[in-house]
Amino acid sequence: CRMSSDESVSEEEIKEKGKRLATKKQPARNAKKLKVESDDNDSGEDFTPTSKSKAPKKKTAKSSKKKKAQKKGSDEEEEASESEKPVAKKKASASTATPIDMTASVKPITEDDSKYIKIVSWNVASFRSILKKGFQDYLDAEKPDILFLQEIKLNTEADINGAKFEGYTTYYNYCKRKKGYSGTACFTKIKPVNVSFDIGFESHDQEGRSITLELNDYYVIGSYVPNAGQKLERLKYRTEEWDRDFLTYIKGLDAKKPVIWTGDLNVAHQEIDICKPNQKLAGYTPEERANFTKLLESGFVDAWRKLNPGVVQYTYWNLRSPRENNVGWRLDYFVVSERLFPKIANSFVRQTVKGSDHCPLGLLMP
């Protein structure tokens, strides 16, 4: 295609025009690049490069001291801030405990539960916590005659602001060795003949692990048996000392009257009592299971298992897994003297009652 004479342009003019256009566009590209870099600037402000850079200011002793003082002040503020975080977090979690409906699944076990003595046990994993989640509602719905609690983690009754529970006499056994650890409690509508705390061995009686009620016809013991520990660091103490001495204690009582022993016994006795068997885990070691077998062979019965042979039922679930997945352990029991077992009306587990990593379980006696 040929150009007309007035449209023709020399090669020199084309090159010159191209240079001018390139020169005009370059600043725009640079500006865009600088704008992108400025988005990472803490202030969010655009900055313009200058052809001359300012010489750095000479440091003086005065300015160095000032900066050190500012840094020290800043570090102290940061340390103070860090030290306050756990406290603030703790306060927030304590004040925001969410109430739970603990009553929906609490149905009568028989046509008329009031005909029986209802004994219930529950590891509440902190009594203060369970109070805020609806414990009183559960108590009103369940109506136990005797209730044993484990792992209450109280230091004194003042920790629950002197809370009273209408119709019940309450007994607390606090851990003496360590604050906010272990501990047991008992609520009873039945006036006992006698109440005793611990099991009479000084080496075991520092953690508030047991309460015994003597009734007219039998003893009722509520216990929180020591855990062997995640690394089995207390396995030897548990199996060679506690289990041995508790067996002596319970056999001594059984020689006088039949016994009902309940609580978190921290052992999954048989393979059916644990979802994922692992003999290296506390509560399922051969030593713990063998000791429990030995106790049963000494004249006692695992009441729930005897009444429900072959039934998979757990009482503990790790909070990291929803309870509905039923990845659990049966760690809580009613163990009774053989001669008392025929009198049991029923034994039950409240699997759907939440608020703790354990659920309540119960026994009905005439």
Side-chain angles (χ1 to χ4, degrees):
C1 178
R2 294 179 63 184
M3 290 183 180
S4 62
S5 58
D6 55 345
E7 290 176 335
S8 63
V9 181
S10 68
E11 254 185 16
E12 289 78 3
E13 288 175 335
I14 291 173
K15 288 180 180 178
E16 185 64 30
K17 187 175 181 180
K19 286 179 181 178
R20 289 199 303 271
L21 289 171
T23 305
K24 286 180 180 178
K25 290 178 180 178
Q26 189 63 34
R29 286 199 298 271
N30 289 341
K32 184 175 182 181
K33 185 178 179 182
L34 294 174
K35 177 63 178 175
V36 171
E37 291 173 349
S38 74
D39 288 343
D40 293 332
N41 189 7
D42 290 340
S43 66
E45 297 173 354
D46 293 346
F47 62 95
T48 306
T50 57
S51 57
K52 294 181 181 179
S53 58
K54 294 181 181 179
K57 291 182 180 178
K58 189 176 181 180
K59 291 183 180 178
T60 64
K62 187 175 181 181
S63 64
S64 295
K65 286 181 181 178
K66 185 177 181 182
K67 284 184 178 178
K68 284 181 181 178
Q70 288 174 341
K71 185 177 186 303
K72 185 179 179 182
S74 174
D75 291 344
E76 287 174 351
E77 286 177 7
E78 187 175 344
E79 287 174 9
S81 169
E82 287 297 322
S83 67
E84 287 169 4
K85 282 179 184 176
V87 177
K89 184 176 180 182
K90 187 175 181 181
K91 286 181 179 177
S93 62
S95 61
T96 56
T98 306
I100 297 171
D101 183 1
M102 297 185 182
T103 63
S105 61
V106 180
K107 309 295 183 186
I109 304 302
T110 65
E111 290 183 359
D112 187 1
D113 288 358
S114 65
K115 293 180 179 179
Y116 304 94
I117 295 174
K118 182 187 281 188
I119 306 170
V120 172
S121 173
W122 192 7
N123 179 325
V124 293
S126 172
F127 193 33
R128 281 175 291 187
S129 175
I130 208 78
L131 279 175
K132 296 171 185 175
K133 295 176 183 177
F135 172 79
Q136 183 64 60
D137 293 336
Y138 167 75
L139 191 65
D140 293 342
E142 188 71 83
K143 298 180 177 65
D145 296 290
I146 300 173
L147 171 65
F148 286 99
L149 303 178
Q150 299 88 46
E151 208 173 353
I152 59 173
K153 298 182 179 180
L154 300 179
N155 302 313
T156 68
E157 198 168 347
D159 290 343
I160 52 172
N161 299 318
K164 302 298 180 185
F165 303 91
E166 189 176 351
Y168 291 94
T169 301
T170 55
Y171 302 94
Y172 297 93
N173 192 5
Y174 310 109
C175 179
K176 308 168 191 68
R177 184 178 66 82
K178 184 178 178 182
K179 288 186 176 181
Y181 176 72
S182 185
T184 50
C186 177
F187 296 20
T188 179
K189 291 179 178 178
I190 301 171
K191 185 177 180 180
V193 175
N194 187 46
V195 180
S196 57
F197 300 90
D198 305 311
I199 62 173
F201 292 83
E202 188 176 351
S203 57
H204 308 312
D205 294 350
Q206 306 305 309
E207 297 181 354
R209 291 191 174 273
S210 208
I211 298 176
T212 301
L213 299 188
E214 180 184 357
L215 305 183
N216 290 328
D217 299 323
Y218 46 80
Y219 293 97
V220 190
I221 312 169
S223 297
Y224 178 36
V225 172
N227 189 297
Q230 288 188 349
K231 297 181 180 179
L232 302 182
E233 63 272 14
R234 296 192 86 187
L235 179 62
K236 188 174 180 180
Y237 163 70
R238 158 70 187 272
T239 57
E240 296 181 14
E241 297 180 47
W242 169 274
D243 287 348
R244 176 198 64 200
D245 294 341
F246 189 86
L247 180 58
T248 299
Y249 175 71
I250 195 171
K251 286 175 68 176
L253 294 181
D254 187 57
K256 304 172 186 175
K257 292 180 184 179
V259 176
I260 297 173
W261 179 35
T262 186
D264 177 0
L265 307 190
N266 260 319
V267 61
H269 184 217
Q270 300 172 340
E271 189 172 334
I272 193 174
D273 298 321
I274 180 172
C275 182
K276 297 181 178 180
N278 182 344
Q279 295 192 29
K280 295 181 180 180
L281 293 177
Y284 195 65
T285 63
E287 297 92 331
E288 291 165 299
R289 296 166 64 205
N291 281 357
F292 194 68
T293 297
K294 181 179 178 181
L295 184 142
L296 295 179
E297 290 175 348
S298 299
F300 300 94
V301 177
D302 175 355
W304 194 92
R305 177 57 66 208
K306 185 80 171 179
L307 293 169
N308 301 275
V311 177
V312 174
Q313 175 63 65
Y314 306 130
T315 62
Y316 164 84
W317 301 263
N318 193 307
L319 292 175
R320 288 173 292 185
S321 175
R323 190 176 293 188
E324 290 72 21
N325 293 349
N326 207 29
V327 179
W329 302 51
R330 189 169 75 98
L331 298 177
D332 306 81
Y333 295 77
F334 275 93
V335 173
V336 303
S337 299
E338 285 180 342
R339 63 190 184 279
L340 194 60
F341 177 76
K343 297 181 180 180
I344 294 175
N346 208 322
S347 184
F348 58 93
V349 176
R350 300 292 196 190
Q351 179 169 334
T352 56
V353 174
K354 297 183 179 180
S356 167
D357 48 4
H358 292 250
C359 73
L361 66 156
L363 191 75
L364 296 183
M365 294 294 295

